[in-house]
């Protein structure tokens, strides 16, 4: 009875404490409200990842019309950078090594998800930004990304950690000068795409960051950074990012989290993969995927603890989903005569001893990526 009484008191204490935690009140939003929602003052700057083929076709035609006007060549290069948290050091190293080798292309479309979204603007703007990319993925630490708010999260808060340090980090790298440079490249028909996940809709959202940067809206710098933060906001660990929208006069905030929640890689939209065929005159010459993880099975004895089992199971589930995504992409490339190159970290990506954002671990992965790029066949 004494033990039961103590347990009951513990439950009451938890409930009482949770009542002290303020939670964000949100209005009732319907699917129709969401369908009509727009980010005011920017025009067409986003698409559902799973939008119907006509919508993606219209987006592609508008891009190519701008490329023709700018005198860009018909065939182009696309780079897709996956999610992977601190394993993004691999892609950062790969891009640096590619520049050193002197064979790095000028990418016409760069897409990124989660940590890939943070890398994407640097990759888009070219090798002049390599030193910043190296610094970002070899010198940061966990305290520069998040601060623990575990108790608040367990008692009803939105997350177990605060991303205030990451907000400051993004502001320090995604400067007005960088965002203006992205706008200039967008005007030449190039595209910078980042994926987030709309948690209410359970759908991936593809944002055209170049279109946001090129807009005349004075809040464009803030929205640009918000999208980067949202794409890298791991649900539960990091708080979601609220994006203000308007739905036929009804204003509300959408809940956006890590783009990797819906897909780790953003290359060809599902509607195009299933129903589309690239035109001869406008097909990309090559799609390169930098995958910040291991695609092949990696054997390791799993500790019989709750955390180890859950982590291992989640890694296996995500890897299997990514294998299917990339298999579909390979089939699309083969059908349309495209060159597809997929580079993944391999077994080095799954080090059970490495802590999150461990500098030595990230430096190791950076060098793995750098050496892979230096040894690419010409």
């Amino acid at each position: 009875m004494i033990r039961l009484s103590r347990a009951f008191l513990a439950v009451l204490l938890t409930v009482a404490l949770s009542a002290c935690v303020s939670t964000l009140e949100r209005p009732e939003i319907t699917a129709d409200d969401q369908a009509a929602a727009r980010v005011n003052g920017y025009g067409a700057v986003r698409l559902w990842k799973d939008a119907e083929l006509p919508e993606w076709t219209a987006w592609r035609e508008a891009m190519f019309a701008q490329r023709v006007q700018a005198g860009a060549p018909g065939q182009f290069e696309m780079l897709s950078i996956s999610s992977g948290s601190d394993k993004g050091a691999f892609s950062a190293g790969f891009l640096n090594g590619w520049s050193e080798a002197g064979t790095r292309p000028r990418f016409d479309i760069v897409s990124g998800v989660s940590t890939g979204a943070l890398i994407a603007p640097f990759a888009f703007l070219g090798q002049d930004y390599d030193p910043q990319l190296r610094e970002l993925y070899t010198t940061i630490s966990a305290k520069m990304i998040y601060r623990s708010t575990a108790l608040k999260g367990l008692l009803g808060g939105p997350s177990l950690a605060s991303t205030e340090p990451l907000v400051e980090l993004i502001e320090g790298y995604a400067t007005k000068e960088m965002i203006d440079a992205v706008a200039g490249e967008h005007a030449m028909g190039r595209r910078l795409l980042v994926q987030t996940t709309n948690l209410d809709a359970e759908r991936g959202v593809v944002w055209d960051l170049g279109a946001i940067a090129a807009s005349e809206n004075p809040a464009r710098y803030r929205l640009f950074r918000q999208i980067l933060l949202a794409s890298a906001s791991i649900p539960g660990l990091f708080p979601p990012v609220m994006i203000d929208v308007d739905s036929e006069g009804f204003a509300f905030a959408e809940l956006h989290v890590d783009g990797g929640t819906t897909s780790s890689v953003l290359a060809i939209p599902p509607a195009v993969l299933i129903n589309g065929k690239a035109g001869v005159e406008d097909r990309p010459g090559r799609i390169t995927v930098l995958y910040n993880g291991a695609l092949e099975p990696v054997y390791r004895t799993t500790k019989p603890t709750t955390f180890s089992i859950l982590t291992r199971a989640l890694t296996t589930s995500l890897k299997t989903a990514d294998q299917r995504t990339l298999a579909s992409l390979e089939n699309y490339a083969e059908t349309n005569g495209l060159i597809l190159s997929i580079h993944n970290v391999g077994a080095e990506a799954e080090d059970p001893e490495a802590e999150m954002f461990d500098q030595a671990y990230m430096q190791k992965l950076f060098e793995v990526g750098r050496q892979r790029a230096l040894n690419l066949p010409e």
Side-chain angles (χ1 to χ4, degrees):
M1 288 296 296
I2 292 175
R3 287 196 297 269
L4 286 173
S5 297
R6 287 174 177 171
F8 181 68
L9 287 172
V11 170
L12 287 178
L13 179 60
T14 300
V15 171
L17 286 172
S18 65
C20 299
V21 178
S22 60
T23 57
L24 180 67
E25 294 294 330
R26 303 185 67 208
E28 286 296 323
I29 304 163
T30 68
D32 289 339
D33 293 331
Q34 180 63 82
R38 300 290 182 272
V39 184
N40 276 341
Y42 291 95
V45 295
R46 66 180 188 174
L47 277 172
W48 293 112
K49 184 175 186 289
D50 60 1
E52 296 296 325
L53 182 60
E55 294 183 62
W56 277 108
T57 300
W59 177 87
R60 187 179 67 178
E61 288 177 352
M63 176 186 67
F64 276 104
Q66 193 172 34
R67 285 174 60 79
V68 169
Q69 186 176 7
Q75 292 190 339
F76 61 93
E77 295 267 358
M78 178 175 183
L79 173 68
S80 177
I81 310 170
S82 82
S83 60
S85 188
D86 50 1
K87 298 176 185 64
F90 168 77
S91 288
F94 197 101
L95 289 164
N96 270 259
W98 215 349
S99 296
E100 287 181 54
T103 56
R104 176 173 163 181
R106 179 179 184 272
F107 300 108
D108 301 284
I109 298 181
V110 175
S111 67
V113 179
S114 193
T115 195
L118 301 180
I119 297 169
F122 298 100
F124 184 72
L125 293 174
Q127 63 186 48
D128 287 347
Y129 285 80
D130 283 353
Q132 293 183 47
L133 191 55
R134 175 193 287 267
E135 180 181 62
L136 182 61
Y137 277 89
T138 60
T139 66
I140 62 169
S141 60
K143 67 179 181 181
M144 298 171 69
I145 303 297
Y146 64 89
R147 284 198 296 267
S148 176
T149 56
L151 181 60
K152 183 178 179 181
L154 291 172
L155 297 179
S159 63
L160 298 175
S162 163
T163 50
E164 290 179 7
L166 180 57
V167 170
E168 294 178 7
L169 195 67
I170 290 174
E171 288 180 352
Y173 282 96
T175 62
K176 288 185 176 181
E177 291 75 18
M178 170 190 261
I179 296 171
D180 288 343
V182 169
E185 296 300 324
H186 178 83
M188 301 298 292
R190 301 177 67 214
R191 294 294 182 265
L192 173 60
L193 307 178
V194 161
Q195 180 177 295
T196 65
T197 297
N198 182 316
L199 208 51
D200 295 313
E202 294 186 325
R203 299 171 75 183
V205 181
V206 180
W207 298 83
D208 190 333
L209 286 190
I212 293 172
S215 74
E216 297 182 357
N217 193 315
R220 62 187 180 277
Y221 302 111
R222 178 175 181 271
L223 181 60
F224 189 102
R225 294 168 185 145
Q226 272 190 303
I227 302 307
L228 294 180
L229 176 64
S231 186
S233 293
I234 305 167
L237 178 60
F238 297 160
V241 175
M242 311 297 286
I243 305 293
D244 293 327
V245 296
D246 183 273
S247 180
E248 298 179 345
F250 172 42
F252 64 93
E254 297 174 342
L255 212 65
H256 286 260
V257 297
D258 197 309
T261 307
T262 42
S263 176
S264 297
V265 178
L266 170 62
I268 303 295
V272 179
L273 279 172
I274 296 169
N275 302 308
K277 185 172 176 63
V280 174
E281 75 284 355
D282 64 12
R283 68 189 185 195
R286 176 168 56 174
I287 301 173
T288 301
V289 176
L290 297 182
Y291 184 82
N292 298 304
L295 284 171
E296 69 280 5
V298 178
Y299 183 85
R300 187 175 72 246
T301 302
T302 305
K303 294 180 181 179
T305 63
T306 301
F307 182 75
S308 296
I309 292 169
L310 288 174
T311 301
R312 189 68 167 163
L314 180 60
T315 299
T316 303
S317 177
L318 293 174
K319 185 185 296 186
T320 301
D322 292 341
Q323 288 168 346
R324 288 196 295 266
T325 298
L326 292 174
S328 297
L329 183 58
E330 287 173 338
N331 182 64
Y332 177 86
E334 183 178 351
T335 301
N336 289 278
L338 312 179
I339 299 172
L340 174 65
S341 302
I342 301 174
H343 305 279
N344 75 100
V345 184
E348 295 96 329
E350 298 185 14
D351 183 350
E353 303 302 322
E355 298 290 336
M356 284 278 286
F357 300 102
D358 176 82
Q359 286 186 2
Y361 175 62
M362 295 177 70
Q363 289 164 6
K364 173 186 173 182
L365 293 186
F366 182 94
E367 192 58 27
V368 168
R370 177 174 169 271
Q371 290 299 325
R372 295 272 183 85
L374 285 171
N375 292 304
L376 283 176
E378 294 187 8

